[in-house]
Structures are given as structure tokens and as C-alpha cells.
Amino acid sequence: MAKIGIFVGTVYGNALAVAEEAQQILEQQGHEVEIYEDGTLEQWQKYQQQTVLVVTSTTGQGDLPDNIHPLYTAIRDNLGYQNELHYGLIALGDSSYDTFCGGGRAFDDLLQEQSAKRIGDVLFIDAIDVVEPETFARSWIEEWGRLL
């Protein structure tokens, strides 16, 4: 089974609720999981030959939340080639904005540029259609956990 670090970018707690749901499901599947609400580069690097799940909402004009933006910047500025990193991404946003899920898209773009290997497709959760994102994400998380 995999060792997974879940790195969360949240403002109002929805992304954290999804991360906690993911932790529960993935642990039931036998994976070892830890959640990081204010993840650091050092914590991220513990998983460079493992697996990470990024769960982030989007703020402002398609920006990452304040609690995950420093990690994104540190990864961008200090890490290059991450070809041994496997990852998944869940992006939360509001499709009434042109920058729908911009924070998650930016994180995905960065990891793709650094040659990390995405497992499965990105899950986009639209606040307009989804009242309980943690419930909506369950089937995606279960499938993602099986792909590892």
C-alpha cells in the first residue's frame, strides 16, 4: 500500500473536509495517510518518491488559498524534476468565475512541468452544483486509491 501526504489549501473548510474524507477512505483501503493544512517544503519532500494528494480551493482571481500558497511557491522555486513523485489533485471552485478551479489548475500545471506523474484525472468540484464536496468526492477518492 502507498504512503500518501494530503496537502490542503482551504479558506472556508470545504477542501479540508474533502481531505479528511479522503484520509478515511484511503486508510480503509490500507494506505498510510497524513494531512498537512500548512504544508512545508520539507514535509512535501518526504513524499518525493511516494504519493501526494493536493486538495485545494481557489480564491480571488484564481489564486491558491493563503495556507498552501507558500508551499506552491517553495516547490516552484526550489524543486525541479520530480519524476518519482506520484500525485492526485482535487480542485474546488465556483464556475460562475472565469478562473474556475484556477488554484488547482495552477498546482497541476506546476507538477506536470516538473514531470511528476498524475494518477487519474483531476477532480473538479463546482460549488454551484455541489453542496457537500466531501460526499461528491467519495467515488473519485475510492477509485484513485485503487489506482495506486
Side-chain angles (χ1 to χ4, degrees):
M1 296 283 100
K3 181 179 177 185
I4 305 165
I6 302 179
F7 291 84
V8 182
T10 192
V11 177
Y12 300 112
N14 287 331
L16 180 58
V18 172
E20 290 169 344
E21 184 73 18
Q23 180 180 31
Q24 183 178 4
I25 291 168
L26 295 168
E27 286 177 345
Q28 287 172 354
Q29 291 180 339
H31 301 292
E32 180 184 329
V33 182
E34 189 163 351
I35 293 177
Y36 300 93
E37 282 184 70
D38 294 295
T40 65
L41 185 61
E42 181 181 12
Q43 290 166 331
W44 180 272
Q45 288 177 301
K46 291 191 322 189
Y47 296 93
Q48 280 193 299
Q49 297 177 346
Q50 305 289 333
T51 306
V52 299
L53 177 60
V54 176
V55 182
T56 187
S57 59
T58 298
T59 66
Q61 298 298 313
D63 301 320
L64 287 160
D66 289 344
N67 72 309
I68 200 167
H69 193 270
L71 174 63
Y72 171 88
T73 302
I75 292 168
R76 184 192 65 207
D77 295 347
N78 296 294
L79 300 180
Y81 197 57
Q82 295 192 76
N83 68 322
E84 294 184 51
L85 175 69
H86 293 85
Y87 76 98
L89 200 134
I90 299 174
L92 292 83
D94 181 329
S95 64
S96 68
Y97 292 90
D98 292 339
T99 57
F100 174 62
C101 290
R105 292 176 196 275
F107 224 116
D108 185 50
D109 289 347
L110 173 64
L111 295 177
Q112 288 290 299
E113 288 171 15
Q114 294 183 340
S115 298
K117 295 174 181 69
R118 188 176 64 225
I119 306 296
D121 293 326
V122 175
L123 174 63
F124 296 102
I125 301 176
D126 187 352
I128 288 189
D129 297 327
V130 177
V131 177
E132 294 182 352
E134 64 276 16
T135 302
F136 179 82
R138 279 186 191 142
S139 61
W140 184 95
I141 296 163
E142 289 168 357
E143 177 61 25
W144 187 78
R146 286 192 290 270
L147 293 172
L148 299 178

